[in-house]
Amino acid sequence: MMSSEEVRSSFLEFFREKGHTIVPSAPVIPHGDPTLLFTNAGMNQFKDVFLGTGTRPYTRAADTQKCIRVSGKHNDLEEVGYDTYHHTFFEMLGNWSFGDYYKEEAIAYAWELLVDRWKLPVERLHATVFRTDDEAYQIWLRYLPPERIHRFDEKDNFWEMGDTGPCGPSTEIHFDRTPDLSGAALVNAGTPDVIEIWNLVFIQFNRLPDGTLQPLQKKHVDTGMGLERIVAILQDKWSNYDTDLFQPLIRALEELSGRPYPADPEQLLHPDGVAMRVIADHVRALSFAIADGALPGNEGRGYVLRRILRRAARYARNLGFHTPVIYQLVPVLVDKMGDVFPELREQQSTIERTIRSEEEMFLATLDRGIAHFETVVAQLEKEGKKVIPGEAAFLLYDTFGFPLDLTQLMARERGLSVDTERFEQLMEEQRERSRQARKVEQVEVITPQDTAESEFIGYETLEGESRIVWVEDNKVALAATPFYAEAGGQVADTGTLEIEGERYRVKDVQRVGDLIVHFVDRPVTASAGARVLAKVDARRRQEIRTHHSATHILHEALRRVLGSHVKQAGSLVAPDHLRFDFSHYEKLTPEQLREIEEIINEKIRENIEVYTEVMPLEKAQKIPNVKMFFGDKYGDIVRVVFIDEKFSVELCGGTHVERTPEIGLVKIVEESSVAAGVRRVVAVSSEAAEAYVRQLEDQLKQAAERERDLMEKIRKLEKQLENFKVESMKRQLEEVTTQSQPVNGIRVVTRIFEDATVDQLKQLADFFRTTVKKQGIVLLATIRKDKVQLVCAVTDDLRERLPAGTLVREVARQLGGGGGGQSHMATAGGRDVARLPAVLEAFSALVQSKLETPASS
Ligand code: SER
């Protein structure tokens, strides 16, 4: 039995032998085709060749193409999970002829591969042709009996890429799995028993936006065969999910959920089976899309991904999962497909983190959403109704993040439908409300009535003479102005306007329609036509320029260090700092921040010229690695800022430095989170960076000073503590002294002070001598580092009869040590800690014996 890897490579090998160039799969995110959200067919990357606007160095090609069919003309999302052979993501094996061979060879190749090489049973093959395509019909008669060649109309046998673009009649090969070969009536009937395996399209038209078909200059062949289906057939599996392409994912789900996958065809609609198929399918679409640079979001492509993910998350809930699980399948998928598609392996951690954080976000509201849904359903049941009101669907969307199609899916499961018309109406109302909110803000600011225009001359000059073209209160617009109006994150310039001998301070500048409006410090007395001398605050502008160029360099440095998923989510360029928000899923490490800073400052030192070029949008889009923002609307003519064309190329209307060293130094001063999956970096350049470094220096000095003061205080406190300790020990010593019973008139006092120093013991001994004055002997001990330290002292009257040195030496000997000293006070040490209490206990007796035998030493 061939593995999926072998099927894939034997397909490519077959067409290599037939003179085809094997090309890599295009990314699943089409770059540069606004008519497509996702690559939906192998031919997408050759669209220009078919239309005659592009060429390739070959006329025959083959590949395996990553496809996603979840939107637009080809959308299989709803089927996925409920049958055995639809997918949101799949691989399409394809071969192409660009004006080279046509119907005859295309059919012959397909036949040879399926029948001669892969040994599919001929009696199970059917062909379909477009209803008027007699040529294809005749060719098929060479291979198949007429009862297994079927004619179908546009719906089944005329393939189109989208609403517009290359298209043409097709012929398809179907495989009959019925045990008794009764499949003729089941062709194109939507059953897994007879399944389409290969579509050969004869591309010969371009569908224009008005719907007409424009014949192409050349005729082409475009074929597509779903890898998952052909693998199922070659592995003799009833379901694509039973093949080695999906089994690892299904196994992992069984393990994680502790539930068996119901594989029996009789159990096709078992909820656990549906859920496992949905999740196994969706994790593939999500992973491949993210690997190619897409991210879940609120609009367009991003929202399609979010819908897929939320659909999968709801099914995961049905399987009993209450914590993120989809992301745990990513390593399984990478293991299976990472060799063929290395981008999966390269982006693995981004994929996992992205999916996980999306799951977490949705799980926060999923339960409450489901509960709300149940309340709505219960209410409907009570009222005997079958349609979920648009209001309920809208609430689920707006409050709980349920995409409409998820609500519809849950409704279908309960035999209900959703009032989508009312839903759309409510969506539109919400959009209108936010449009109004935005408008009100602007309208309140200004309402210029005439058709005047302002020209921006601030790229070239910071000072210029012009005339007022519009004025109202403290708002003035000039025919030409060097003042930059706030845009693209860059703050507005400030400066002065001199009008008829009066000098006005410009506080803010905004673009309103075609006007650049200056907001000045007081009402302007002059009227339209008056001469004006406009002067931008040059120093401030220079600081803004350094921060703007620094922002571009930072953006590229972030991408290089963190990965190509980094996309700008917002930015602020001010004279004293820059703020840059971007998509990324975790906190930046200190090492990453350092590396980013290093790249930036290295670029600055390279002394690169920063230059701009104005060009048609179409040309700009073709520049490799150009940065432009999907959310932004660009005109036909755009301005492109280059900082070394291999490093940073960005569509931007802002003002920049001329050479990078003007930026001076860049320091990142803050890194934080703004929202799920969006991080923020704040940085400073030029003078602001210098000020920042100086401020750090001051702080350091202050810190050092504070540390010195602190050390001083600590020393004082330590001293106090020490005194306090000695005082307290004195009190204790006093107490034992008064309690001690004099023997032969002599007070013999012993005491262990744990944790005392020899020095402290000496102080205590002195204290004893001065307070007791006569007839007193003290022996003090402490234990330090498993050794005994002893201090012995006697009052002056006993110095001769009982010298302290002799006493302490004697005691120390009993503890395995030695020592000595003067007659009034002496110290010693010993090792035998355990014997200390007994030795102290016996000290009194020792003194006694000394008194009786005065000669001993
Ligand atoms: N473009 C056709 C399809 O997608 C054949 O590759 O089915």
Side-chain angles (χ1 to χ4, degrees), residues 40-41 43 69 92 159 199 201 222-224:
N40 67 11
M43 52 72 69
R69 289 194 169 174
M92 190 186 280
W159 196 85
N199 184 16
V201 184
D222 156 36
T223 88

Side-chain angles (χ1 to χ4, degrees), residues 316-468:
R317 167 56 44 89
N318 287 5
L319 275 179
F321 292 107
H322 287 264
T323 49
V325 63
I326 306 166
Y327 82 97
Q328 297 181 47
L329 299 176
V330 174
V332 182
L333 177 65
V334 171
D335 199 42
K336 178 71 195 166
M337 303 190 76
D339 289 340
V340 183
F341 300 102
E343 62 274 23
L344 277 185
R345 192 158 278 143
E346 278 156 29
Q347 300 292 332
Q348 180 172 348
S349 66
T350 302
I351 299 168
E352 283 176 30
R353 284 193 208 112
T354 305
I355 295 180
R356 183 186 183 149
S357 93
E358 277 286 315
E359 286 190 85
E360 278 165 357
M361 187 156 78
F362 188 47
L363 286 176
T365 57
L366 178 59
D367 276 338
R368 286 185 290 134
I370 291 175
H372 182 75
F373 178 84
E374 291 304 333
T375 323
V376 173
V377 171
Q379 183 66 23
L380 286 180
E381 270 164 11
K382 211 158 71 194
E383 296 168 3
K385 291 184 182 154
K386 290 259 164 231
V387 183
I388 294 182
E391 281 76 6
F394 183 74
L395 185 91
L396 281 167
Y397 164 83
D398 204 36
T399 309
F400 302 109
F402 280 40
L404 176 63
D405 59 346
L406 178 56
T407 303
Q408 285 178 301
L409 172 97
M410 291 167 62
R412 263 200 311 280
E413 289 173 349
R414 308 294 282 268
L416 304 170
S417 65
V418 180
D419 181 353
T420 53
E421 209 172 299
R422 179 72 185 130
F423 175 87
E424 288 304 341
Q425 207 178 343
L426 291 165
M427 286 291 285
E428 187 44 44
E429 281 171 22
Q430 191 190 45
R431 280 192 283 266
E432 186 54 34
R433 272 195 304 276
S434 58
R435 266 199 294 274
Q436 285 302 342
R438 274 201 300 277
K439 250 209 238 126
V440 167
E441 272 167 36
Q442 282 174 9
V443 169
E444 270 173 5
V445 175
I446 201 162
T447 44
Q449 320 82 334
D450 52 19
T451 53
E453 269 181 45
S454 315
E455 188 194 344
F456 178 60
I457 53 171
Y459 292 133
E460 302 86 20
T461 175
L462 296 181
E463 234 182 272
E465 250 192 35
S466 185
R467 284 179 186 280
I468 295 180

